[in-house]
Amino acid sequence: MDLGIKGKSAIVCAASKGLGKACATALAEAGANLTICARGEEDLKNTAQEIQNASGVEITHVACDITTEAGRQAILDACPRPDILVNNAGGPPPANFEDLSMDDWRKAVEANMITPLALIKATVEGMMERKFGRIVNITSAAVKAPMNLLDLSNGARAGLTGGVAILARRASAHNVTINGMLPGTFETDRLVQNFVKQAEAQSISVEQAKERRRASVPANRFGSPSEFGAICAFLCSAHTGYITGQNIVIDGGVFPGIV
Ligand code: NAP
């Protein structure tokens, strides 16, 4: 299927690895020109080169911390009028509520709520004027079903989800959509860090923690980043102007609700 976004410009945040990289790769395969960021320059440069070699699209890479104002300005300077915005950043560290300081909460809210809101604020009006825009917020399945030890993620990402819900409806009149992608368990570096914490909390080995999690997934496996990327590219395509304000759980069937 032609996704109808050849030549569109896309910002993909936090994209040197994992889910962000997979989204960038799939958007490039569909012909979108990319501006990508991450903090570590070496990995980012290699990822940009790898995607460019495979797809032939234009890729600008900006080494920055997207959770800072300077980082957000740097990526917007590189791509001031994106047609597509994929919001992503590292997840907050896993911990129980009792072990969290208010400073931990401020950092999580800045990274996983304020940062995507600021990028949306800087770009959504231009998208509405140009009558095309696709905004995807990578959040977490924790938005629908809060998870143990992920209190910071549960809170900050739910805030973002509610914060854009009305805008998502209003913007759709201008062919601009805003949707959330809610990953369950995908095989990335982040997942490994979570297993280490879960193993400590349950006094089991990391391998046992991984196996317990896998066994709890109806699909009987973890997700692969490339399948996540393909869904992202479809949500950013020309065919999805009628999908907005949705929060799509991609978790191999873990979420037990029917809606
Ligand atoms: P990952 O494999 O660890 O990759 C994270 C990427 O983000 C890297 O490219 C990293 O590069 C970049 N990054 C991190 N912090 C950044 C910052 N402040 N500014 C710019 N770039 C930054 O993680 P992932 O699994 O893809 O997860 C992506 C997001 O989805 C996270 O928020 C995670 O919590 C959430 N999530 C993931 C899963 C899952 O199963 N994997 C499930 C639920 C939610 P640098 O370190 O070089 O900056």
Side-chain angles (χ1 to χ4, degrees):
M1 182 193 282
D2 178 355
L3 295 186
I5 51 173
K6 195 163 193 287
K8 298 277 188 205
S9 55
I11 290 179
V12 185
C13 303
S16 65
K17 294 186 210 160
L19 303 180
K21 177 180 176 183
C23 294
T25 303
L27 286 166
E29 279 167 9
N33 296 316
L34 301 181
T35 303
I36 62 173
C37 77
R39 292 163 303 180
E41 177 137 35
E42 191 65 25
D43 283 342
L44 182 66
K45 206 168 132 191
N46 291 339
T47 294
Q49 194 64 58
E50 184 188 322
I51 298 175
Q52 186 147 33
N53 291 346
S55 63
V57 300
E58 281 173 33
I59 305 194
T60 304
H61 66 276
V62 180
C64 67
D65 182 341
I66 199 65
T67 68
T68 65
E69 266 186 53
R72 296 190 284 270
Q73 196 53 54
I75 199 158
L76 289 168
D77 286 347
C79 182
R81 288 157 51 92
D83 304 301
I84 294 166
L85 168 65
V86 179
N87 277 314
N88 186 31
N96 274 320
F97 186 91
E98 296 86 325
D99 299 324
L100 295 170
S101 66
M102 293 326 288
D103 206 39
D104 294 327
W105 277 105
R106 282 186 198 98
K107 280 190 194 133
V109 168
E110 186 70 35
N112 299 110
M113 181 178 172
I114 303 289
T115 291
L117 290 178
L119 290 171
I120 292 170
K121 188 156 175 58
T123 56
V124 72
E125 285 175 52
M127 290 178 182
M128 290 199 279
E129 279 162 22
R130 298 190 300 278
K131 303 292 175 207
F132 182 90
R134 299 286 182 264
I135 298 173
V136 167
N137 295 321
I138 299 180
T139 60
S140 167
V143 165
K144 288 238 180 182
M147 287 178 200
N148 194 25
L149 283 170
L150 295 184
D151 301 55
L152 292 172
S153 180
N154 298 338
R157 297 186 201 275
L160 168 64
T161 305
V164 298
I166 297 299
L167 176 64
R169 270 100 187 152
R170 264 192 305 112
S172 66
H174 305 276
N175 191 24
V176 175
T177 66
I178 307 178
N179 293 292
M181 289 181 69
L182 282 53
T185 34
F186 281 80
E187 294 245 43
T188 66
D189 292 358
R190 159 84 178 173
L191 191 61
V192 176
Q193 290 163 21
N194 279 358
F195 287 139
V196 172
K197 271 280 173 190
Q198 300 280 358
E200 276 169 26
Q202 296 171 48
S203 305
I204 55 176
S205 71
V206 174
E207 212 33 59
Q208 282 171 315
K210 192 172 174 186
E211 181 49 28
R212 274 189 198 175
R213 178 71 76 83
R214 191 199 52 72
S216 73
V217 179
N220 200 28
R221 66 176 177 86
F222 298 128
S224 80
S226 66
E227 61 193 327
F228 190 90
I231 297 165
C232 177
F234 179 68
L235 274 181
C236 294
S237 77
H239 310 298
T240 53
Y242 217 51
I243 303 177
T244 198
Q246 301 306 301
N247 290 289
I248 300 163
V249 180
I250 308 159
D251 70 349
V254 172
F255 181 66
I258 57 172
V259 287

